[in-house]
Amino acid sequence: MTKAIIFREAGGPSVMRWEDVTLGKPGPGEVRVKHNAIGLNYIDTYFRSGLYPSPLPASPGMEAAGIIEELGDGVTGFAVGDRVAYAGRPIGAYSEERNLPADILIKIPDSIDDQTAAAMMLQGMTVEYLLQRTFHVKPGDTILFHAAAGGVGLLACQWAKKVGATIIGTVGSEEKAKLAKEHGCDHVINYRTENFVKQVRDITDGKGVPVVYDGVGKDTFEGSLDCLQSRGLMVSYGNASGPVSGFDLGILAAKGSLYVTRPSLMDYTASRSELEQSAADVIKMVETGALKITVNQTYHMSEAVKAHEDLEGRKTTGSTIFTL
């Protein structure tokens, strides 16, 4: 027997339970991984709440680091004892150990510890594709990044600063503003006390920005469009405040022939080569010190309910991990 967080119905954090589960042998193409650290990400709440439907009962979680304990038939390129990390489907990382497809695993160098590895994969690869492939941020670009003090936001500020861009970030408190500045954010706007559209226009001398990265969703979506310059790109990669609905495409023309995309990490790492390249870029940034993974909250895996309450209550900053 092993333990995992299980939810049998969609709903709030309280639907999750820390339970004994039976884990069989890994199937063909699978490995058994013993987790040492597990990442908490906002997408976990989407599966738990039912916003992203999944067969029930289920265990949330898309990111973890650990050690391979057993190989299924046909697995090559990995060995028992390898240190590995992963980010992606199938969900189920909230567990002491699990069987999962070997082709989503990435070997982790000894220079990176388990807690860092568990916190860097999903958020780090998200930043990689957002800044390098969804919109290729170049030296001299000015970008707007919402939730700049969150896990993805802090990494994005560092990465964009390394590229040579100017970062405008939004936050919800003075404490978070300080944190964003410490990680490379050039201009920080407290959206609770300031009009972020006006501030962005003032900072850019009325031009607006070529790209907005928005993981907040319905609360910031329309304002984000007003921050874009003509033919600018709105990257809506999350919906922490709720999904955007009932959107009139005609608004894009009225506001300057704008573009909108709703990307996901799974589509940007769909092939093994894309996954390996994205992970390699993140690992290199971490190993060279260009990307510092800030783990500001740690919970035992049995405290998943509390962790989700804090995350959805906007009480967390940077990255959060579960220990076992």
Side-chain angles (χ1 to χ4, degrees):
M1 298 290 285
T2 186
K3 281 189 173 290
I5 291 290
I6 302 295
F7 61 98
R8 289 180 166 76
E9 61 180 338
S14 64
V15 300
M16 296 185 293
R17 299 284 187 273
W18 183 231
E19 298 182 359
D20 290 327
V21 297
T22 300
L23 185 63
K25 295 179 70 64
E30 292 185 334
V31 300
R32 181 168 179 152
V33 175
K34 180 182 181 297
H35 291 150
N36 291 325
I38 297 155
L40 171 66
N41 294 282
Y42 219 99
I43 194 172
D44 302 347
T45 71
Y46 301 160
F47 284 103
R48 186 215 71 224
S49 70
L51 180 62
Y52 291 177
S54 64
L56 299 174
S59 176
M62 299 181 69
E63 175 181 45
I67 297 176
I68 293 178
E69 290 196 317
E70 188 176 353
L71 304 178
D73 291 340
V75 173
T76 59
F78 294 97
V80 172
D82 281 349
R83 295 180 63 239
V84 293
Y86 64 88
R89 296 190 185 189
I91 63 172
Y94 284 21
S95 56
E96 291 180 326
E97 48 191 339
R98 68 182 296 206
N99 298 327
L100 73 169
D103 62 6
I104 72 168
L105 297 177
I106 295 294
K107 292 182 182 179
I108 298 301
D110 291 339
S111 59
I112 297 177
D113 62 58
D114 288 327
Q115 293 196 3
T116 300
M120 77 180 190
M121 292 293 289
L122 192 145
Q123 294 174 351
M125 290 194 297
T126 295
V127 170
E128 181 278 321
Y129 86 73
L130 288 176
L131 300 188
Q132 295 193 152
R133 292 186 281 159
T134 303
F135 179 94
H136 187 198
V137 177
K138 303 175 296 298
D141 283 343
T142 298
I143 67 173
L144 172 60
F145 212 102
H146 287 297
V152 173
L154 292 183
L155 298 186
C157 288
Q158 295 175 71
W159 199 304
K161 180 56 64 176
K162 179 71 174 178
V163 168
T166 297
I167 309 105
I168 305 172
T170 66
V171 297
S173 70
E174 291 307 309
E175 175 190 5
K176 291 182 176 181
K178 181 175 182 292
L179 191 60
K181 288 179 180 177
E182 291 172 350
H183 286 76
C185 197
D186 297 283
H187 306 277
V188 184
I189 302 166
N190 186 334
Y191 67 85
R192 296 187 187 277
T193 59
E194 300 174 275
N195 182 324
F196 74 82
V197 176
K198 180 180 184 303
Q199 292 294 323
V200 169
R201 288 290 175 178
D202 287 347
I203 292 167
T204 60
D205 296 324
K207 298 176 183 176
V209 294
V211 63
V212 175
Y213 294 103
D214 190 345
V216 177
K218 68 181 181 68
D219 287 356
T220 51
F221 185 79
E222 290 192 17
S224 293
L225 296 179
D226 290 331
C227 293
L228 286 167
Q229 58 189 223
S230 178
R231 292 181 289 172
L233 175 63
M234 169 66 176
V235 183
S236 177
Y237 70 93
N239 29 246
S241 66
V244 176
S245 61
F247 179 64
D248 178 5
L249 284 174
I251 292 174
L252 300 179
K255 292 182 181 294
S257 298
L258 304 179
Y259 296 87
V260 175
T261 184
R262 184 64 169 86
S264 76
L265 175 62
M266 279 61 74
D267 290 323
Y268 279 83
T269 55
S271 69
R272 181 67 191 179
S273 60
E274 288 175 319
L275 172 62
E276 289 179 344
Q277 185 60 61
S278 183
D281 287 351
V282 173
I283 289 171
K284 180 180 178 180
M285 291 284 280
V286 173
E287 285 190 308
T288 60
L291 204 62
K292 292 179 172 57
I293 307 299
T294 307
V295 178
N296 287 340
Q297 298 81 211
T298 301
Y299 302 84
H300 187 269
M301 191 68 261
S302 60
E303 301 176 296
V305 171
K306 170 64 172 170
H308 276 221
E309 289 173 345
D310 289 349
L311 180 64
E312 292 180 301
R314 310 286 180 90
K315 296 179 180 178
T316 64
T317 59
S319 299
T320 302
I321 62 161
F322 293 108
T323 58
L324 294 158

